[in-house]
Amino acid sequence: MADPNAPRTGPLFQSNGNGNEEWARDLRKQFEQLLRTKQLNNLTERSRSRSGSPVPGDRTSSSNHQATSSFGSSPSTSSTHRIARKPLPKSAVPRPIPNVNANLPPSYSSLRTLPNAPTPPQDANSHKFRNHLISLALTPTKYENPGLLDEALKEIEGSLDRIYSEAQEDSEVQEMLARSMGDGSKAEWDYQDCVIRALLRWFKGSFFTWVNNPECSSCFSPTFAHGVAPATPDETARGAAKVEIYRCSSRECGAYERFPRYSDVWTLLQTRRGRCGEWANCFSMLCRAVGGRVRWVWNSEDHVWTEVYSEQQKRWIHVDACEGAWDTPRLYTEGWGKKMAYCIAFSIDGATDVTRRYVRNPTRYGLDRTRAPEGVLLWITDEIRRMRRENLSKEERRRLIKEDEREEKELQAYAAHALAVEVTNMLPGSPASATTPDEQKLPAGRQSGAVDWIQARGEAGPGHDPSREGH
């Protein structure tokens, strides 16, 4: 018999992000065993929950009593039909099965790893969600305007030499690190990746400005929120759906300040200020201008960011310009303590549900996905892909399909690992917590924005308690 205290080894206890067939096979077997145990426990609990369910001897007595009563037998007559029951030996008494339902890992549906058949929207909520996603899918199409991209490069022309120089240095460091390994490993990031990394540092440090409350344009005093107002025709033409109104805090001034929330990327190149919406929009367009393949990622809990494709890594990389974050997809949940339901990535090539990349622990950080059935969401993303790819060549469509399949394997691996961690943690003697393949040190809470604003959005970190803050 194996020593229960011996350290566990094997695929289940290895943090292998890629996974292999043996690991997946062992994981499937253990999960199937857990499902069988759960079904057996459900049957046991169901049988116990039936009120008045007699033991076999009681059934005989009860049936005899009912039979004699139906024929009007007297109590003395019915008592002669009672059967004396001998107590069952201890060996014959079935042992109760321990209830492990409370410790079971989340269901496959909650991890969203089961394939769904695409289903057209039927109800009003599904149609509303479809229209919303199709509208959002237009955002990255603006980044494909050649004239706009040329003008964007001219706008930042004075900083391009600095960006490319830093990228070259970073690329050379990456190559030196790879050679120092001595095993023929390739560099983690190639030159194009390093260009985006340098652009990220420059964009956050020198180009764009975060705005909480805009200062008064008359006396430069702080302002406070004073509601919203309709956009003017000029503001609407530049993509402002709404305008926030602020009032100067100075009693001598008291002037009002308009803060249009622009979405037109050319306008943002001029204003160079805003919050996460403006930051992600402008930064994504500049990534496209310097040659990157770009996604604009929408989150249903009011945040947006960027993904760029790394040819070196053969995968999409998370980039958040507001936070200066590169390849830290667990930032929002495990860093900010943010719970999320939907993360949808839009590009010129289509749309993809990438929630599994950002919500690695659905039990703790996942929200209910109630806007549409999962099959409807799959149908919508497939529809957007068809619209974006219908004019592409067969070779290009085939390349994108292979890319989609590779990404789906990556997303499934995240969900499978989350399941493996849950299985590991419920086993006796398991460590208190298991690490993930891309374990990184994350900031405790959001870095961009005013403290009060961050706390109001619940993004101050997993252990933050707003009720303890001073007022």
Side-chain angles (χ1 to χ4, degrees):
M1 179 179 296
D3 182 4
N5 297 320
R8 291 183 172 84
T9 58
L12 179 60
F13 302 93
Q14 297 174 356
S15 298
N16 184 357
N18 297 327
N20 51 43
E21 295 181 0
E22 181 182 359
W23 176 82
R25 184 167 55 253
D26 291 345
L27 176 61
R28 186 185 69 252
K29 290 179 180 178
Q30 296 194 37
F31 184 64
E32 290 174 350
Q33 179 62 36
L34 282 172
L35 288 180
R36 286 193 292 270
T37 303
K38 180 179 179 181
Q39 292 172 350
L40 181 59
N41 281 314
N42 286 341
L43 291 174
T44 304
E45 292 294 330
R46 195 180 307 164
S47 64
R48 291 175 180 173
S49 64
R50 294 171 184 165
S51 57
S53 298
V55 294
D58 289 337
R59 282 201 299 270
T60 306
S61 174
S62 176
S63 61
N64 290 338
H65 176 72
Q66 292 174 357
T68 55
S69 299
S70 64
F71 287 100
S73 302
S74 63
S76 60
T77 306
S78 63
S79 64
T80 60
H81 291 80
R82 292 178 183 154
I83 301 175
R85 292 185 289 113
K86 295 181 179 180
L88 292 173
K90 292 184 179 181
S91 59
V93 178
R95 297 180 179 179
I97 300 175
N99 184 9
V100 296
N101 290 340
N103 297 324
L104 282 176
S107 64
Y108 249 16
S109 60
S110 67
L111 294 174
R112 306 177 188 95
T113 56
L114 287 178
N116 292 286
T119 306
Q122 301 292 336
D123 57 279
N125 287 336
S126 295
H127 281 287
K128 181 179 179 180
F129 194 38
R130 172 185 176 272
N131 294 337
H132 183 53
L133 294 184
I134 288 180
S135 175
L136 293 174
L138 295 175
T139 300
T141 63
K142 304 171 185 177
Y143 310 150
E144 301 302 317
N145 184 328
L148 173 64
L149 298 180
D150 289 342
E151 290 298 323
L153 289 177
K154 291 179 182 178
E155 194 71 21
I156 66 172
E157 186 175 8
S159 302
L160 283 178
D161 288 342
R162 168 188 166 184
I163 293 172
Y164 291 141
S165 175
E166 289 186 5
Q168 183 62 39
E169 292 178 4
D170 190 6
S171 178
E172 291 174 359
V173 171
Q174 296 291 329
E175 291 289 345
M176 291 176 59
L177 289 174
R179 287 195 297 268
S180 68
M181 299 297 293
D183 56 359
S185 300
K186 65 178 182 179
E188 184 177 11
W189 309 111
D190 64 9
Y191 176 72
Q192 181 60 38
D193 298 330
C194 294
V195 169
I196 303 297
R197 284 154 60 93
L199 178 68
L200 173 65
R201 292 189 294 269
W202 168 83
F203 187 89
K204 179 174 174 61
S206 305
F207 186 72
F208 226 72
T209 302
W210 182 273
V211 175
N212 293 308
N213 292 11
E215 66 179 14
C216 176
S217 58
S218 299
C219 66
F220 306 105
S221 297
T223 62
F224 58 88
H226 197 72
V228 296
T232 64
D234 177 65
E235 292 166 340
T236 301
R238 292 190 282 174
K242 68 174 182 178
V243 177
E244 299 174 357
I245 303 298
Y246 294 85
R247 188 173 184 178
C248 180
S249 59
S250 173
R251 293 183 179 181
E252 291 76 14
C253 180
Y256 291 93
E257 193 73 23
R258 296 174 67 86
F259 180 43
R261 301 300 304 275
Y262 293 122
S263 62
D264 177 69
V265 287
W266 173 249
T267 301
L268 294 177
L269 281 174
Q270 314 304 315
T271 63
R272 303 184 183 185
R273 67 174 190 166
R275 301 196 195 106
C276 54
E278 292 89 344
W279 279 66
N281 201 5
C282 189
F283 178 74
S284 298
M285 185 271 295
L286 289 177
C287 288
R288 190 73 187 101
V290 297
R293 291 180 57 198
V294 177
R295 277 174 169 177
W296 177 80
V297 185
W298 167 82
N299 165 237
S300 54
E301 285 65 49
D302 193 27
H303 191 49
V304 288
W305 58 88
T306 307
E307 285 184 348
V308 293
Y309 191 78
S310 170
E311 291 291 346
Q312 186 82 343
Q313 296 273 344
K314 298 299 181 184
R315 62 182 176 92
W316 288 94
I317 308 299
H318 158 256
V319 190
D320 192 317
C322 302
E323 302 291 288
W326 171 268
D327 197 23
T328 54
R330 294 162 38 245
L331 169 69
Y332 310 115
T333 54
E334 298 170 41
W336 293 6
K338 188 179 183 72
K339 294 186 177 182
M340 302 192 292
Y342 296 95
C343 300
I344 312 296
F346 300 96
S347 72
I348 190 60
D349 299 319
T352 305
D353 179 7
V354 294
T355 309
R356 288 169 288 177
R357 176 174 293 131
Y358 297 95
V359 184
R360 303 293 182 86
N361 187 340
T363 304
R364 183 174 181 181
Y365 296 112
L367 291 177
D368 292 338
R369 292 158 61 101
T370 58
R371 299 202 181 190
E374 294 298 318
V376 171
L377 176 57
L378 184 58
W379 190 90
I380 296 171
T381 54
D382 285 349
E383 179 186 21
I384 296 174
R385 284 181 182 178
R386 288 193 300 271
M387 289 189 298
R388 293 287 178 267
R389 301 178 184 184
E390 60 182 358
N391 295 325
L392 299 179
S393 64
K394 290 184 178 180
E395 292 76 13
E396 187 68 9
R397 287 199 299 267
R398 190 178 301 114
R399 181 186 65 81
L400 292 174
I401 289 174
K402 290 182 179 179
E403 190 176 286
D404 295 338
E405 293 173 347
R406 185 164 56 243
E407 182 177 32
E408 180 59 27
K409 290 181 180 179
E410 174 196 344
L411 298 176
Q412 287 182 356
Y414 294 142
H417 187 271
L419 178 61
V421 170
E422 293 292 337
V423 173
T424 302
N425 289 340
M426 68 173 289
L427 294 175
S430 61
S433 62
T435 59
T436 58
D438 55 351
E439 189 74 42
Q440 295 177 354
K441 184 177 181 180
L442 300 171
R446 183 170 187 157
Q447 306 299 302
S448 56
V451 174
D452 293 343
W453 181 76
I454 293 173
Q455 293 173 1
R457 291 168 59 91
E459 298 171 350
H464 177 74
D465 183 2
S467 63
R468 298 183 179 180
E469 292 293 332
H471 297 282

